[in-house]
Amino acid sequence: MTTTTAYPGMHRRRARGLVGRAAVVALASTGLLGTLAPAALAAGPATTAAPHRAVAPSTVAEPAALESALRAVVEEGGSSAVQAEVREDGHPVWRGAAGVADLATGAPVPNGARFRIGSVTKTFAATVVLQLVGEQRLRLDDPIERYLPGLVPNGGAITVRQLLNHTSGIYNFTDDPRFSTEGETALQHWLTVGRWTTYRPQAVVHIATAQPPYAAPGEKWKYSNTNYVLIGMIIERVTGHTWTEEVDRRIIRPLDLRGTSMPTTSPIVPGPHAHGYIQRASGQAADVTIENPSAFGPAGAGISTTTDLTRFNAALLSGKLLRPAELAEMKKQVPAENGSTYGLGLVRYPTACGEFWGLTGGIAGYGTVLMGDAAGRRQVAISLNPLHVSEATSRTFQTLIDTTTCGSATGQTAGVPGL
């Protein structure tokens, strides 16, 4: 099932590539994401096109090309569902969805479907921190010991900045076996026990600090979700409110992001949504839509829509949420992995149509890509419900990113760090 909508004002931009296969691998290789094995899709509902709902002629990668790129991600078996939106100058210019919301019923993906955004939550949390910096309520180079005394070994040598850009060296709690879905035994335990467990932030930090650090603070980049759990705790210490309350007060309500929420323990995805799945050894897809996200917090618990995410990205990069000095700090990159870089909850993606800024994210059953140009004028948000990562599915996802971002598909890539 494919539905697309084109809007007035769309124009062509030629591309020579974007994030490509690295993004697909990243979306399926970190923590609870796992590398998802092949799964059979309901061929009829997933591949039969619905009537095209073009509102007006388009000149941004023709709607037919956008629709084809979207549908290919599903038809190749890479995802049970995929959604995408392109926004320009404050207005959506194209929106589409393909696949099915539920493999059991074959129901189509509903309009405005919500989804778990995984690590894109980090950009929301980082924005709050940078706002607090602008208010002179904390400093990026303050030691975390100042805000969380005694919680993290060597906390006097680890800075807030190092948490935000993943150079703290602190162990990634999602690498702990209790969060694994690799192998049938681990997956079954997580399905029956792990995904229902409520974790307090302190408990998550204790899981991480029970393991030796990856490196000395500032020595190297190493992705760790623990960093952002600590960021949430620092936000609460500085403001007297939870990180969710601050994100709601500072970002969600001012931008009127009606489909966005930052749950603490609620396991459901509220409102219309597509189900998320993990492949079992038997070949069956396990429905993992319902999950207590308390362990992830500001590292990955968020829920949103493509419309809300593009609006958020536009507001961030156009300077509506941060002053120039704080936005510049957020954009400062450190070397990450595979030639990529990482900022303060924000990554730079070189493209043929200029630099794009955003983040990828993933949690069991869901993957997200959000990026926009440096001026905050053009944004792309993609949500997929991954089933299988292969060379073929990677190529289809590369084509979708190229086509939505710059207007054509060329397959050039740039590295994407972990989620």
Side-chain angles (χ1 to χ4, degrees):
M1 185 72 67
T2 305
T3 59
T4 65
T5 305
Y7 298 86
M10 300 175 71
H11 63 276
R12 180 186 305 277
R13 296 190 183 192
R14 293 296 180 185
R16 292 191 300 274
L18 185 61
V19 292
R21 184 175 186 277
V24 183
V25 174
L27 286 170
S29 63
T30 303
L32 279 176
L33 292 176
T35 299
L36 307 182
L41 292 176
T47 59
T48 302
H52 188 270
R53 298 185 299 164
V55 175
S58 168
T59 53
V60 146
E62 298 83 354
L66 289 160
E67 179 181 337
S68 176
L70 196 73
R71 189 172 58 243
V73 174
V74 173
E75 291 178 341
E76 194 62 49
S79 184
S80 57
V82 60
Q83 304 176 70
E85 177 168 311
V86 179
R87 175 179 291 261
E88 287 193 349
D89 295 325
H91 303 285
V93 293
W94 178 82
R95 183 184 298 130
V100 295
D102 187 333
L103 289 176
T105 66
V109 180
N111 290 329
R114 300 181 188 186
F115 48 87
R116 298 190 187 278
I117 64 174
S119 285
V120 175
T121 311
K122 291 179 172 69
T123 309
F124 285 83
T127 300
V128 171
V129 170
L130 270 297
Q131 288 182 346
L132 293 171
V133 169
E135 295 164 9
Q136 299 184 352
R137 299 175 70 178
L138 62 75
R139 294 179 298 181
L140 289 172
D141 295 316
D142 282 345
I144 65 173
E145 184 73 11
R146 177 171 298 176
Y147 306 102
L148 305 172
L151 183 62
V152 177
N154 202 27
I158 300 170
T159 67
V160 175
R161 184 190 301 274
Q162 289 167 343
L163 295 180
L164 290 168
N165 67 14
H166 296 296
T167 60
S168 72
I170 298 171
Y171 180 83
N172 181 9
F173 77 89
T174 56
D175 287 344
D176 186 273
R178 76 194 73 188
F179 296 99
S180 175
T181 58
E182 292 293 321
E184 186 62 20
T185 300
L187 175 57
Q188 183 61 32
H189 181 268
W190 181 80
L191 288 171
T192 57
V193 178
R195 67 165 160 168
W196 309 113
T197 304
T198 295
Y199 289 91
R200 292 179 58 81
Q202 293 85 348
V204 171
V205 174
H206 289 325
I207 290 171
T209 56
Q211 302 295 329
Y214 295 122
E219 181 177 304
K220 70 175 185 177
W221 185 89
K222 180 67 176 177
Y223 196 84
S224 176
N225 287 299
T226 313
N227 289 326
Y228 277 77
V229 174
L230 289 163
I231 285 294
M233 298 174 76
I234 290 172
I235 290 172
E236 183 167 359
R237 179 61 60 92
V238 171
T239 66
H241 304 116
T242 65
W243 73 273
T244 60
E245 291 171 328
E246 289 298 308
V247 168
D248 184 67
R249 182 175 73 87
R250 294 168 176 268
I251 301 173
I252 293 176
R253 281 187 283 163
L255 297 181
D256 196 25
L257 307 182
R258 299 184 183 184
T260 300
S261 58
M262 299 290 159
T264 52
T265 60
S266 175
I268 65 170
V269 179
H273 61 274
H275 290 229
Y277 301 93
I278 288 181
Q279 183 69 22
R280 306 195 69 144
S282 64
Q284 298 298 310
D287 192 325
V288 296
T289 308
I290 299 176
E291 171 187 357
N292 182 331
S294 59
F296 303 102
I303 292 170
S304 193
T305 66
T306 56
T307 295
D308 280 5
L309 289 183
T310 56
R311 184 178 298 166
F312 166 59
N313 183 275
L316 176 62
L317 295 176
S318 66
K320 292 181 180 178
L321 293 174
L322 295 176
R323 300 185 310 179
E326 283 71 56
L327 184 56
E329 290 290 342
M330 197 177 195
K331 288 182 173 181
K332 287 183 178 178
Q333 306 284 288
V334 296
E337 59 186 18
N338 301 322
S340 62
T341 61
Y342 199 99
L344 307 186
L346 201 63
V347 172
R348 180 180 63 238
Y349 301 109
T351 81
C353 45
E355 289 183 346
F356 274 54
W357 295 83
L359 207 61
T360 60
I363 195 167
Y366 295 87
T368 304
V369 171
L370 174 64
M371 58 184 69
D373 67 11
R377 297 189 61 186
R378 180 177 174 86
Q379 299 79 38
V380 170
I382 300 171
S383 168
L384 66 158
N385 302 79
L387 287 172
H388 174 48
V389 175
S390 67
E391 290 295 334
T393 60
S394 297
R395 284 193 297 271
T396 62
F397 191 61
Q398 168 69 62
T399 298
L400 177 60
I401 291 180
D402 285 344
T403 307
T404 53
T405 307
C406 294
S408 64
T410 60
Q412 293 189 4
T413 64
V416 178
L419 280 71

